[in-house]
Amino acid sequence: MSGFTGRYVENTLRSKGHEIVDPEIASPGFDLKERDSLVTAFAVAEPDAVIHLAAISFVGHGDPADFYRVNTVGTTNLLEAAAAARHVPTKIILASSANIYGNSPLSPLTEVMPAAPVNHYACSKLAMELMARQWFDRLPILVTRPFNYTGVGQSPSFLIPKIVDHFRRRAEVVELGNLDVARDFSDVRDVAAAYARLLDSPVAGAIVNICSGRSYSLQWIVDSCAEITGHTIKIVTNPAFMRAEEVKMLTGSSAKLDAITGKMERHDFIGTLRWMLDA
């Protein structure tokens, strides 16, 4: 609820008439790593549906084991608690990640393409997916693979907010890694809208990408921010930001998402950057 994505999803669902229950209120001390706290949350809240977005998502997080404790084991705890609840939810949406595709030479990436994770974050999400499949016959689970997205309120530890922050402050220098890295970026408001539509859909026992179908390089992001602000920043390449296992390009196919939710109108990404720069 308090996370970057969760706030936008909550606002979108409330605007559609859904009642939102904060698990931290239902179960004080709520912790994915503590199964009993999840059991209590389900017993108190008796949710009709669950959208599970909580995770360690920063690829550069210091302790690799944390990815598995939270992203994999934590999700296992959640599903066990849901299955044991007196009131079993009618839909459980789990957020995986497009990072599980790794450095695939294929584009755009569809849900049937093989996984090839190249970092602990992606491995923990793939392990979560494989575990969740064991519950498909017992719980109405829909697994999403969100590609990159951004918006107002995202931590500056992520690249686009970092770049935007430097332009907003009219900084003279910014340290970045590989500017040729390209990602399928979406506006967080579009991602929230996709979650709302997926929640209302009858589809379960499936995996679906959440993406725009178009990739932008970091160089394009920098150039666009410079054009919008009229400010030029010196780019310094910092080797510390260059990862050997860096995924060079991720572009997703939104065909399955569109088939489930209907074609959605998406924000123009230049508009997203303007929104962030003006915030």
Side-chain angles (χ1 to χ4, degrees):
M1 299 287 287
S2 59
F4 168 60
T5 312
R7 293 194 296 272
Y8 285 94
V9 172
E10 178 182 358
N11 290 337
T12 300
L13 292 176
R14 286 192 188 280
S15 72
K16 295 180 177 297
H18 292 282
E19 179 183 354
I20 309 301
V21 179
D22 187 339
E24 294 179 350
I25 294 176
S27 177
F30 177 86
D31 187 339
L32 282 170
K33 301 189 295 297
E34 301 294 335
R35 184 179 179 276
D36 288 347
S37 73
L38 279 81
V39 171
T40 299
F42 276 96
V44 173
E46 295 192 333
D48 294 317
V50 175
I51 300 180
H52 175 40
L53 304 174
I56 293 179
S57 57
F58 179 53
V59 174
H61 180 75
D63 186 353
D66 285 344
F67 288 113
Y68 302 95
R69 293 188 191 104
V70 175
N71 299 352
T72 309
V73 177
T75 303
T76 303
N77 290 338
L78 182 143
L79 295 181
E80 289 179 349
R86 181 177 63 179
H87 179 74
V88 178
T90 58
K91 176 69 77 67
I92 299 175
I93 296 179
L94 305 178
S96 179
S97 171
N99 270 270
I100 66 112
Y101 293 116
N103 275 310
S104 174
L106 304 173
S107 184
L109 295 166
T110 67
E111 293 82 356
V112 299
M113 290 180 178
V118 296
N119 53 54
H120 284 292
Y121 168 65
C123 286
S124 73
K125 286 294 192 178
L126 178 59
M128 182 275 288
E129 285 192 16
L130 296 173
M131 176 278 300
R133 287 174 185 262
Q134 310 308 309
W135 294 84
F136 276 10
D137 61 341
R138 287 170 282 172
L139 292 170
I141 297 169
L142 179 62
V143 176
T144 64
R145 288 176 180 167
F147 283 64
N148 292 71
Y149 56 91
T150 190
V152 172
Q154 189 175 36
S155 168
S157 62
F158 290 88
L159 273 171
I160 292 185
K162 174 182 176 178
I163 293 169
V164 165
D165 177 65
H166 278 69
F167 274 98
R168 189 191 297 117
R169 293 187 288 106
R170 304 187 79 79
E172 295 183 1
V173 177
V174 61
E175 293 186 354
L176 298 172
N178 184 2
L179 292 181
D180 293 329
V181 168
R183 296 287 183 270
D184 184 324
F185 284 112
S186 292
D187 187 302
V188 65
R189 295 168 293 185
D190 297 335
V191 172
Y195 276 118
R197 292 198 187 192
L198 289 170
L199 183 65
D200 290 338
S201 78
V203 176
I207 295 173
V208 59
N209 290 338
I210 296 182
C211 58
S212 68
R214 180 176 178 182
S215 287
Y216 306 87
S217 70
L218 292 185
Q219 183 67 63
W220 183 90
I221 300 294
V222 169
D223 292 344
S224 296
C225 287
E227 182 178 350
I228 293 168
T229 63
H231 176 63
T232 301
I233 290 182
K234 179 181 178 181
I235 308 297
V236 174
T237 300
N238 187 336
F241 300 150
M242 309 282 282
R243 291 191 292 271
E245 74 277 14
E246 184 78 82
V247 176
K248 300 300 186 296
M249 175 176 284
L250 281 176
T251 307
S253 167
S254 65
K256 188 172 182 178
L257 176 66
D258 294 340
I260 295 172
T261 65
K263 190 74 172 178
M264 295 188 295
E265 184 175 347
R266 294 179 171 89
H267 289 82
D268 178 78
F269 203 65
I270 285 287
T272 301
L273 293 176
R274 290 185 186 276
W275 171 52
M276 295 174 71
L277 286 162
D278 290 342

